[in-house]
């Protein structure tokens, strides 16, 4: 029996829903904030007066809530205001609109849910001082409402509503499957929400009155922050009683005293063949919802709407009313007036109706997404990616007419939402989603020429590198249309609003939908690599996107830096680069080159000059080169360098020493012993250096700016205490407004004074506070001010990794935060006591709104990571006088200066390194501020990992290619711009750069190559590293040409005669033209080039391309050929035909192309050729419902065997002489090929009906399983066991496991797993399946051995209850096989779900030990299972 594990490696990126709402702040808070912010951040008076005006014109901006399958993310829009003329130099390249030079999305919080979100609404009551809530609807009938909770700095569930189970079965009326999931909408005034379930059940959710809530009144925190909208109660309306059959859409309208719900429904259904006799079938009905009486009288209705109406838009006040959007027309209706607009010649009018207005151009609006830019302009994003603007022209409250005009071209979007008064967001599953700024009536001279691509995305100098990273295809579309200004020749009231400018400000990367991918070598791969390092030779080349947004995405899981040079350097213990300024230099700090590279060996130090080339200057400098260095860095604003070694420290000015210090014991004890104490580690924060000595005490070196000298200082606070210090670091809190000051009780006081003194300063308005962070061996963490060492924040049990850290003294501890008592069991206690913090780091990366991160590295390899935030707790606790740390009596003083409202919340970070670190290793965390335009930290050690900080979120990318890394530093000089240096454990020093073609702000680094067409299938030809790829490009053709070639000849003439009448000859039709492109990734440049193109014939669709190895029966040699299977698509009247094409690659003589592609065989077949594969030198072809096996003579294919498939083969897989194929409707078949009788015989099949998406073999040692994914987003594993009774003598495949993935798995790829060092008897030929989904997710299904499976399965069952899940969703019910109403016999659940198991590492240490003990194992055992699995599946 074989067991499997499921793990997501790259979460979904295709955005399904987006919405705007004031989630983290109310509009009033946002408005106050935006008017204050610029005046604080710049003391100069003239800018002060200009900045708030710009901010107010933009207005308060809400949060953006985004949903991708089961991932929920909340973003904040951060804008960069233009700060006046004096610093217009660097940012003048950016387009300035409304006083804003740039904007970006910053992550507030994100959650991975156990369930796909089917619909989302934001509950808002429209007032200025309440926050909005998010309402989410889940499959079958579940609703959860979430609100932002300041005390945990995240979302929490405020109410849950479930209409499933035996009590609610009557709502289904006996139906099992429903066409669409639940839909939820909210009333604009926030009085209620409505959700449509089970086709015809409307659920009304009544909002609580402000001030009342479900939670008891014992919650004082609510009074401080603004409350959010909450749902109080709900009831059901059965729409069948209101004579409705088929509901298409519903929405709430504005302008009534009670909530009014308008429903668009179809009375009698019609279809395309009946349009001529039955076309006006839709109607709208408006109901007034009286929630107290639970009544809903109809107040008005309107019938005879076109059958293709599909969407309702509520018109905002002062107009109010409703827009009905149809595919070919738009209608406005209110209680008193109505008018309509015809979009093309297909729209039909009811008889006797007045003549309607027509648009001047032809457009189809089906599947368009809409959002209101202002109260009378609505923006549509159409199905082919055009942006259209509809103006509602009104007089008073009477709407006169509708005006539609074309705007720019954009992405194919799946959702659009307006953010405040000047941004909108286009969310897409098919392309990168865009944040766009718009402005009404800006004269065009303000905008720079938009043809410069880089100019119009970001103008931020530090992020200048990111310009190139935003894929160019977004911009070309937006820029290709000429300068944006409309002057419509209509009434004056629409003139002022008709001029709109757009600027793309930010983009969220999306690699979905992944239709197919190939596994090939990277450009910088290393042929000599072995073991785990070999994995980072490969990358995944994916077909993603659609239409004009189609791209080829190259994805890598691990980073392989581009090597510039390498030197052998054994026994290195650390490297540092330092700057050197002779005087206060003219160069800006951002772009200064490094001056020296300091390399510490075991017993000496080398110094190299980093000029044009690296030259060793060890002999000529005054560095202490006879001892190994512990730390080196710059002091006094980069005017001096400090070198710290074990016995002392030296301060150097360039290459000359200005001061030397030796470390001895305290002066007080010098009479007893004056032998020197060695330093163990050091942390530098200008002008202080913190030393941790070998004996566990700390020393502080204090620098004096006036004469650039340092003096040694032993803090007395720790001299008396018996606690040993396990690690310590300095944190420099700098910026225009140091962040930690906000967290004090007397925050308003200190910041006010600071501002005043600062403006007299003259040259710099950066202030910096230095703090020292110390972790004791007891697990207690303290933050102290430097140099006074006054304790401002302390928390017990930092080691245990609680979810929230808050100051012990200023808060009464909640039970949740309390440290669990680890004394219950001796085993637990022993394991808990062995865990220490070996390294600390705290840093705040750039950005006006960024908050500091705190990192703690445990000795078992876990990285604890915390994000700071401010939260003022309940006022009542503040009056209790806390004890001061020195035990002195100045209580007021102690409590005032504490960082009382500072809190940290734990952030999950997927780091795979799990290994015991010996107690005295060199530091492993290196923080970098600019490597290739990115910032973040590098974690050295046995499994080196990059952690990039993008949009205030972590992007974790391992680096496998060089094995363990002992030292790392950044290097910026002439030859290596923004590069890095690292030393491997094998003793090589490598100078590298990050590959610049990749974007690292994604779950995996990605490079997107625009194809301007839809990619369908890709395969990899290893001998020449080529990627053949099927692409279809939409081409516009005249209609008569299309029809004549499709129909028979005599019919064609008949059609021609019809057409000559009128202007119908001008009609066009879009057809997809297919071609096979052969693409190559160029070695040095990293650019993708199309080497060769094979066009298909007209109406011929290429369905499959594969590289096959065939045995030539005449020469008895193997040939590698490219096989293409095609089908002619000519409508339902013509019988399907297809072709099989074979191409050979040959080396060409001329030097331009490296190879030639020549067609060696082509043959028509009776059905569509949907799959090809090579089987032991023969070619297996699936054409229509028949599978044939052919042998290749060098010129001909001759059939040797065949098998009749049921309907249409979707996928073919081969292992040895076994064949697995999936049918479009009839599940999977398992065949074998026998050479001697030359026959294909059926071994077994699955008797159920299943719509297959992808199939593949899963190999675990000698066990062969068959995996299939289906249209209901499930995955099943079957096995063939002819000896078992239930297999009906071997005819039937038996189910080994079944699982609900929650996404359509479109491709499965078999990759060999790495043997892990855990078990000696490990099977070597183990293969995992990497899969891609249509949401843009990538994951794997991998075999696990029984012992691990049993252990992790019992852990999984525990975690269902032990962890509070977001939205209260049950992971077990989510992972149940969903049969969608079809008959299905449940199979075993022999799959463990790492999505659920990942919660274990986020629990606190005490809970981890408890759960491990309850299932009869240990924490270290579970964690080593996790890391073994991670190692085995770190492909790519």
């Amino acid at each position: 029996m074989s067991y499997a594990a499921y793990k997501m490696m790259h979460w979904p990126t295709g955005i399904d829903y987006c919405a705007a709402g004031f989630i983290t702040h109310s509009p009033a808070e946002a408005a106050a904030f935006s008017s204050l912010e610029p005046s604080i951040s710049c003391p100069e008076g003239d800018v002060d007066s200009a900045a708030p005006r710009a901010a107010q014109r933009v207005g308060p901006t809400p949060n953006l809530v985004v949903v991708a399958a089961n991932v929920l993310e909340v973003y904040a829009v951060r804008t960069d205001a233009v700060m006046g003329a004096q610093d217009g130099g660097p940012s003048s390249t950016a387009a300035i609109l409304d006083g804003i030079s740039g904007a970006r999305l910053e992550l507030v919080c994100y959650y991975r849910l156990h369930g796909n979100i089917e619909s989302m609404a934001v509950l808002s009551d429209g007032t200025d001082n309440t926050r909005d809530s998010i309402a989410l609807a889940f499959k079958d009938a579940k609703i959860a409402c979430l609100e932002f909770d300041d005390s945990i700095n995240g979302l929490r569930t405020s109410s849950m509503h479930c209409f499933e189970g035996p009590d609610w079965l009557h709502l289904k009326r006996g139906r099992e499957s429903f066409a669409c999931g639940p839909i939820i909408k909210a009333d604009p005034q926030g009085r209620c929400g409505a959700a449509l379930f089970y086709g015809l059940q409307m659920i009304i959710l009544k909002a609580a009155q402000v001030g009342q809530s479900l939670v008891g009144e014992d919650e004082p925190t609510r009074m401080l922050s603004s409350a959010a909208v909450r749902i109080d109660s709900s009831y059901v309306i059965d729409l069948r009683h209101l004579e409705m059959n088929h509901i298409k859409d519903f929405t709430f309208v504005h302008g009534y005293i009670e909530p009014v719900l308008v429903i668009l429904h179809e009375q009698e259904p019609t279809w395309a063949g009946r349009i001529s006799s039955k076309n006006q079938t839709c109607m709208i009905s408006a109901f007034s919802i009286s929630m107290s009486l639970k009544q809903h009288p109809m107040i008005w209705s309107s019938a005879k709407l076109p059958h293709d109406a599909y969407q309702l838009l509520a018109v905002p006040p002062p107009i109010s009313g409703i827009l009905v959007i149809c595919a070919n027309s738009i209608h406005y209706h209110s209680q008193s007036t109505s008018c309509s607009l015809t979009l093309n010649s297909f729209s039909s009018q009811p008889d006797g109706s007045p003549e309607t207005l027509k648009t001047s151009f032809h457009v189809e609006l089906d599947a368009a997404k809409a959002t209101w830019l202002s109260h009378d302009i609505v923006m549509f994003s159409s199905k082919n990616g055009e942006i259209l603007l509809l103006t509602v022209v009104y007089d008073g409250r009477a709407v006169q007419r509708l005006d539609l005009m074309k705007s720019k071209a954009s992405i194919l979007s799946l959702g659009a939402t307006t953010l405040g008064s000047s941004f909108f967001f286009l969310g897409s599953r098919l392309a990168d989603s865009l944040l766009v700024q718009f402005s009404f009536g800006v004269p065009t001279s303000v905008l720079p020429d938009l043809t410069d691509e880089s100019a119009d995305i970001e103008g931020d100098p530090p992020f200048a590198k990111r310009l190139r990273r935003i894929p160019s295809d977004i911009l070309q579309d937006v820029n290709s249309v000429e300068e944006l200004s409309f002057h419509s020749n209509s009434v004056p009231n629409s003139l002022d609003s008709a001029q709109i400018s757009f600027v793309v400000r930010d983009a969220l990367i999306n690699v979905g939908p992944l239709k197919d991918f190939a596994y090939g070598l990277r450009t910088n791969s290393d042929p000599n690599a072995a073991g785990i390092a070999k994995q980072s030779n490969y990358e995944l080349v994916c077909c993603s996107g659609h239409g004009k947004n189609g791209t080829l995405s190259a994805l890598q899981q691990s980073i392989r830096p581009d090597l510039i040079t390498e030197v052998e350097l054994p026994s290195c213990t650390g490297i540092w680069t330092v700057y050197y300024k002779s005087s206060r230099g003219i160069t800006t700090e951002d772009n200064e080159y490094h001056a020296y590279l300091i390399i510490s060996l075991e017993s000496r130090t080398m110094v190299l000059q980093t000029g044009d080339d690296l030259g060793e200057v060890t002999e000529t400098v005054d560095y202490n080169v006879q001892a190994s260095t512990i730390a080196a860095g710059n002091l006094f604003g980069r005017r001096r360098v400090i070198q710290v070694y074990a016995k002392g420290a030296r301060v150097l000015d360039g290459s000359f020493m200005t001061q030397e210090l030796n470390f001895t014991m305290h002066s007080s004890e010098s009479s007893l012993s004056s032998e020197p104490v060695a330093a163990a580690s050091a942390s530098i924060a200008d002008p202080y250096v913190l030393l941790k000595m070998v004996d566990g005490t700390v020393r502080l070196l204090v620098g004096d700016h006036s004469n650039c000298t340092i003096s040694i200082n032993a803090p007395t606070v720790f001299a008396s205490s018996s606690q040993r210090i396990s690690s310590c670091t300095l944190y420099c809190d700098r910026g225009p407004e140091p962040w930690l000051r906000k967290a004090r009780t007397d925050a308003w006081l200190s910041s006010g004074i600071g501002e005043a003194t600062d403006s007299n300063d003259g040259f710099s308005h950066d202030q910096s506070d230095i703090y020292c962070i110390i972790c004791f061996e007891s697990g207690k963490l303290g933050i102290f001010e430097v140099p006074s060492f006054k304790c401002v924040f302390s928390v017990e049990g930092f080691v245990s990794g609680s979810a929230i850290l808050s100051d012990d003294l200023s808060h009464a501890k909640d039970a949740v935060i309390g440290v669990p008592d680890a004394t219950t069991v001796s085993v637990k206690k022993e394991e808990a006591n062995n865990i220490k913090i070996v390294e600390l780091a705290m840093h705040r990366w750039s950005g006006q709104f960024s908050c500091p991160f705190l990192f703690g590295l445990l000795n078992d390899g876990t990285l604890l990571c915390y994000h700071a935030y401010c939260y003022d707790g309940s006022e009542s606790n503040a009056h209790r006088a806390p004890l001061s740390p020195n035990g002195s009596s100045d209580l007021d003083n102690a409590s005032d200066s504490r960082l009382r409202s500072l809190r940290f919340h734990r952030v999950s970070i997927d780091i795979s390194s799990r290994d015991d670190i010996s107690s005295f290793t060199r530091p492993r965390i290196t923080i970098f501020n600019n490597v290739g335009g990115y910032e973040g930290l590098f974690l050295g050690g046995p499994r080196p990992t990059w952690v990039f900080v993008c949009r205030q979120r972590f992007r974790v990318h391992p680096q496998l290619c060089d094995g363990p890394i002992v030292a790392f530093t950044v290097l910026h000089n002439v030859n290596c711009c923004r590069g890095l240096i690292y030393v491997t454990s094998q003793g090589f020093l490598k100078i590298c750069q990050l590959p610049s073609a990749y974007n690292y702000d994604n779950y995996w680094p990605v490079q997107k190559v625009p194809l301007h067409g839809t990619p369908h299938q890709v395969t990899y030809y290893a001998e020449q590293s080529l990627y053949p790829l099927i692409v279809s490009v939409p081409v516009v053709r005249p209609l008569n040409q299309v029809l004549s070639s499709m129909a028979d000849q005599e019919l064609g003439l008949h059609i021609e005669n019809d057409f000559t009448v009128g202007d119908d000859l001008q009609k066009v039709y879009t057809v997809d033209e297919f071609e096979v492109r052969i693409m190559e990734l160029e070695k040095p440049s990293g650019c993708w080039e199309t080497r060769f193109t094979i066009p298909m014939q007209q109406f011929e669709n290429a369905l499959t391309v594969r590289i096959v190895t065939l045995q030539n029966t005449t020469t008895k040699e193997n040939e590698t050929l490219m096989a293409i299977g095609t089908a002619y698509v000519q409508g339902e009247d013509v019988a399907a035909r297809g072709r099989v094409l074979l191409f050979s690659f040959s080396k060409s003589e001329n030097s331009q192309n490296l190879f030639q592609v020549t067609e060696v065989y082509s043959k028509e077949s009776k059905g569509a050729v949907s799959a090809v594969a090579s089987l032991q030198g023969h070619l297996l072809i699936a054409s229509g419902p028949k599978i044939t096996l052919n042998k290749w003579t060098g010129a001909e294919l001759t059939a040797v065997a065949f098998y009749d498939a049921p309907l249409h083969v979707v996928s073919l897989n081969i292992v040895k002489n076994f064949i697995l194929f999936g049918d479009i409707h009839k599940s999977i078949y398992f065949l074998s090929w026998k050479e001697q009788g030359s026959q294909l015989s059926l071994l077994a099949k699955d008797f159920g009906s299943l719509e297959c998406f992808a199939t593949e073999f899963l190999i675990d040692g000698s066990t062969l399983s068959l995996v299939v994914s289906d249209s209901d987003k499930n995955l099943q594993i079957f096995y063939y066991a002819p000896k078992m009774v239930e297999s009906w003598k071997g005819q039937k495949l038996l189910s080994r496991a079944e699982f609900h993935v929650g996404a359509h798995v479109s491709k499965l790829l078999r990759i060999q797993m790495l043997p892990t060092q855990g078990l000696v008897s490990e099977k070597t030929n183990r293969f995992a399946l990497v899969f891609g989904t249509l949401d843009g997710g990538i994951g794997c299904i991998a075999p696990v051995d029984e012992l691990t499976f049993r252990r992790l399965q019992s852990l999984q069952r525990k975690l269902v209850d032990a962890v509070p899940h977001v939205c209260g969703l049950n992971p077990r019910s989510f992972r149940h096989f969903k049969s969608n109403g079809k008959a299905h016999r449940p199979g075993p659940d022999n799959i463990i779900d790492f999505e659920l198991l990942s919660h274990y590492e986020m629990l606190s240490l005490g809970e981890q030990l408890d759960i491990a003990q309850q299932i009869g194992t240990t924490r270290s055992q579970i964690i080593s299972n996790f890391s073994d699995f991670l190692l085995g599946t770190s492909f790519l």
Side-chain angles (χ1 to χ4, degrees), residues 315-486:
V315 185
I319 311 171
S320 74
I322 199 139
L323 283 177
V324 185
I325 313 299
C326 314
N328 307 311
S329 54
I330 302 177
H331 304 259
Y332 171 81
H333 284 276
S334 70
Q335 204 159 346
S336 50
T337 60
S338 70
C339 65
S340 65
L341 176 68
T342 302
L343 304 175
N344 54 42
S345 55
F346 298 124
S347 83
S348 57
Q349 294 300 323
D351 305 330
S353 65
E355 188 60 37
T356 59
L357 284 170
K358 282 199 164 94
T359 51
S360 55
F361 51 90
H362 173 106
V363 63
E364 292 167 16
L365 262 196
D366 51 324
K369 301 292 176 240
T371 181
W372 290 92
L373 297 188
S374 71
H375 68 91
D376 60 344
I377 295 186
V378 64
M379 181 196 81
F380 290 101
S381 169
S382 73
K383 61 180 176 184
N384 52 4
E386 286 182 310
I387 289 184
L388 306 165
L389 297 171
L390 177 77
T391 310
V392 181
V393 182
Y394 66 101
D395 178 18
R397 284 193 68 166
V399 171
Q400 294 168 341
R401 63 172 201 284
L402 307 170
D403 272 352
L404 188 72
M405 48 195 179
K406 279 196 177 185
S407 175
K408 299 201 147 194
S410 172
I411 57 169
L412 305 173
S413 60
L414 220 124
T417 183
T418 309
L419 299 163
S421 55
S422 54
F423 292 97
F424 65 83
F425 179 79
L426 292 173
S428 172
R429 278 176 61 102
L430 305 173
D432 294 355
S433 304
L434 304 183
L435 175 71
V436 184
Q437 186 187 353
F438 66 91
S439 174
F440 296 112
V442 170
T444 47
S445 58
V446 177
L447 282 172
D449 188 18
L450 282 185
T451 49
D452 179 13
E453 285 180 13
S454 59
D456 99 310
I457 280 276
E458 288 248 19
D460 240 2
F463 292 93
K465 230 15 222 266
R466 269 193 356 210
L467 308 180
R468 303 212 314 265
R469 296 234 169 76
I470 298 212
S472 53
D473 57 321
I474 300 172
L475 291 165
Q476 279 158 3
D477 282 344
V478 178
N479 298 335
S480 58
V481 186
E482 65 283 351
E483 197 70 57
L484 196 71
S485 60
F486 313 105

Side-chain angles (χ1 to χ4, degrees), residues 797-1075:
F798 173 67
V799 177
S800 68
S802 318
I804 305 281
L805 304 180
S806 64
D807 189 9
D808 284 345
L809 282 183
S810 9
H811 296 282
K813 282 296 228 180
D814 308 337
V816 190
I817 304 171
V819 183
D821 185 18
T823 53
T824 46
V825 182
S826 56
V827 181
K828 263 172 58 181
K829 186 171 162 72
E830 181 193 354
E831 194 171 352
N833 284 349
N834 290 339
I835 292 181
K836 302 271 186 294
I837 295 274
V838 291
E839 194 176 347
L840 280 172
M842 186 166 171
H843 192 72
R844 178 179 165 208
W845 280 279
S846 65
Q848 188 184 354
F849 298 95
S850 62
C851 305
F853 286 97
L854 171 67
F855 302 94
L857 190 63
L858 302 185
N859 56 358
D860 67 345
T862 316
L863 183 69
L864 296 179
C865 166
Y866 285 92
H867 201 175
Y869 63 99
C870 279
Y871 171 68
D872 292 322
S874 50
E875 290 295 309
S876 57
N877 294 341
H879 300 308
R880 297 184 310 109
L883 291 170
S884 91
N886 313 6
S888 57
S889 57
D890 52 346
L891 296 180
D892 302 336
N893 211 354
S895 67
D896 270 357
S897 61
R898 288 189 77 93
L899 301 173
R900 173 162 299 188
S901 53
L902 171 68
R903 287 202 180 185
F904 293 93
H905 71 98
R906 179 133 177 234
V907 184
S908 68
I909 184 165
D910 309 308
I911 287 204
S912 53
S913 131
R914 281 272 180 279
D915 33 56
D916 279 335
I917 303 164
S918 58
S919 48
F920 284 105
T921 50
R922 56 196 71 86
R924 292 174 47 186
I925 299 176
T926 313
I927 285 169
F928 58 87
N929 284 323
N930 193 339
V931 172
Y934 287 91
E935 48 188 12
L937 66 97
F938 182 84
L939 186 66
R943 301 278 321 270
T945 307
W946 292 82
V947 180
F948 294 104
V949 179
C950 307
R951 312 180 191 281
Q952 291 295 297
R953 83 182 288 172
F954 290 135
R955 299 298 198 179
V956 181
H957 306 308
Q959 177 175 324
L960 312 170
C961 54
D962 291 297
I965 286 180
V966 293
F968 171 94
T969 188
V970 292
L971 173 67
H972 179 47
N973 75 355
V974 185
N975 302 322
C976 176
C977 179
R978 303 266 174 243
L980 55 128
I981 307 181
Y982 59 87
V983 182
T984 66
S985 59
Q986 275 94 39
F988 285 96
L989 177 137
K990 302 194 174 192
I991 302 181
C992 304
Q993 278 177 314
L994 277 184
S996 59
Y998 287 82
N999 189 330
Y1000 298 95
D1001 181 16
N1002 186 31
Y1003 299 107
W1004 287 4
V1006 58
Q1007 176 186 9
K1008 293 187 75 172
V1009 187
L1011 296 171
H1012 304 297
T1014 307
H1016 295 275
Q1017 222 182 44
V1018 63
T1019 185
Y1020 179 60
Y1021 177 46
E1023 287 173 32
Q1024 312 219 359
S1025 295
L1026 303 174
Y1027 291 93
L1029 159 86
I1030 298 176
V1031 181
S1032 68
V1033 182
V1035 180
V1036 175
R1037 296 242 176 249
L1039 191 58
N1040 52 1
Q1041 183 187 337
V1042 173
L1043 287 170
S1044 61
S1045 60
M1046 278 183 80
D1048 299 330
Q1049 247 12 73
E1050 57 213 83
L1051 201 63
L1053 298 170
H1054 175 64
I1055 291 178
E1056 291 287 346
N1057 299 341
D1058 269 3
F1059 261 160
T1060 46
V1061 199
D1063 59 349
D1064 280 345
L1065 280 172
Q1066 270 68 56
K1067 284 200 178 161
V1068 291
Y1069 185 73
T1070 309
V1071 286
D1072 277 342
E1073 298 207 341
F1074 279 75
E1075 62 191 30

